[in-house]
Amino acid sequence: MRLRSVLPIAAVIPALLLASACSGESGKSAEKQPKATGKAAQGPAEREAAEAKRLGTLDTPALEKAVLTGRTAGYDAKKVAKAEVEAGRDMEADRKECQPLASLIGGFTHIAPVATAHRSLQGADAANATVGSMWLASHSDENATRVMKELRASVPACPKGFKTLGLTYGKVEPLPAPKLGDEAVAYRITGDIGKQKMPMTYTVVRAGNIIAAFYGVNMLDAGKAAIPEPVVKAQLDRL
């Protein structure tokens, strides 16, 4: 039971293991936001909605309606606090070719999305030790395709891993991708957390111009770390 109580905290977004290192990122991102001037100026939500409409994609409210919430396929999906989401933004890999992987560890695509919606995932059955997170990212059609193309190239380009924000990810392995959505990529990254090796499994699927990413970890059996396909399919069915 102790394992179940500890794992979800570390598994929501792997970047939370770097909470102290990333504490300044949220403020940094906030500084980049344009400041409204005058009564007629649009706020961030209005600008995002206008951009989403222009690109024919989803803004944050639409993603929040589409993202899994509650119990689905034996997993409980819960909203993640904004501060925890922002902790993983702007993670930079020490090798350019590995950036798509580093960004996904932080819970974002390496190409800036129009909007995102994040959820933590935990098995409803106490005997299920696989926990993790998922998120949706909306893009233009061109950028969504580019995200997958560059992610697919990044996996074989970084077999020996990379470093980001002081952490080492020492191994990247391709995995069979589910035949879902328009295209999918699956892989395993092994993180070096102190003396402990943490295999983390990612399944990333493109459905039109929406990227759906699923992160899973199982400290008891790395072979069962992936978020199950029924959960992935259930999310895709909502898009």
Side-chain angles (χ1 to χ4, degrees):
M1 293 301 293
R2 177 173 175 78
L3 178 64
R4 278 294 296 249
S5 67
V6 172
L7 271 176
I9 298 174
V12 170
I13 296 177
L16 294 184
L17 297 170
L18 299 169
S20 60
C22 295
S23 60
E25 294 295 333
S26 179
K28 180 180 178 182
S29 297
E31 291 174 2
K32 296 179 181 179
Q33 297 295 333
K35 294 183 179 180
T37 57
K39 294 183 179 180
Q42 288 184 321
E46 289 78 12
R47 287 194 296 273
E48 179 188 284
E51 179 68 358
K53 183 177 181 180
R54 183 181 72 83
L55 296 174
T57 193
L58 302 181
D59 60 6
T60 297
L63 283 182
E64 285 292 338
K65 289 181 179 179
V67 72
L68 292 177
T69 303
R71 186 162 298 181
T72 303
Y75 274 75
D76 290 326
K78 299 180 180 180
K79 192 168 183 177
V80 182
K82 183 177 180 179
E84 295 179 356
V85 171
E86 290 298 319
R89 190 184 290 275
D90 300 327
M91 291 183 71
E92 294 185 7
D94 63 343
R95 298 171 57 198
K96 183 179 179 180
E97 62 270 29
C98 304
Q99 187 57 50
L101 303 172
S103 293
L104 284 173
I105 286 175
F108 291 88
T109 51
H110 66 290
I111 298 173
V114 175
T116 60
H118 292 74
R119 293 291 185 268
S120 65
L121 294 172
Q122 181 172 338
D125 185 349
N128 183 356
T130 300
V131 295
S133 61
M134 64 153 293
W135 55 97
L136 302 180
S138 61
H139 289 270
S140 66
D141 292 340
E142 179 182 358
N143 280 353
T145 301
R146 182 182 158 198
V147 165
M148 296 300 289
K149 179 181 179 180
E150 294 179 3
L151 173 62
R152 185 175 284 107
S154 189
V155 174
C158 304
K160 296 183 179 180
F162 54 92
K163 294 181 180 180
T164 178
L165 294 178
L167 281 187
T168 298
Y169 297 90
K171 189 176 183 181
V172 179
E173 309 165 83
L175 295 175
K179 296 180 180 180
L180 296 172
D182 294 306
E183 56 180 320
V185 175
Y187 55 94
R188 179 185 296 117
I189 293 180
T190 300
D192 300 328
I193 312 301
K195 296 182 179 180
Q196 186 177 20
K197 301 291 185 181
M198 180 180 288
M200 306 176 294
T201 300
Y202 288 82
T203 302
V204 186
V205 183
R206 180 178 68 83
N209 54 21
I210 305 298
I211 303 297
F214 301 81
Y215 155 77
V217 62
N218 187 315
M219 298 299 291
L220 301 180
D221 186 347
K224 297 180 179 179
I227 298 301
E229 191 168 309
V231 178
V232 179
K233 186 177 185 303
Q235 175 59 78
L236 296 177
D237 288 344
R238 293 175 61 91
L239 297 176

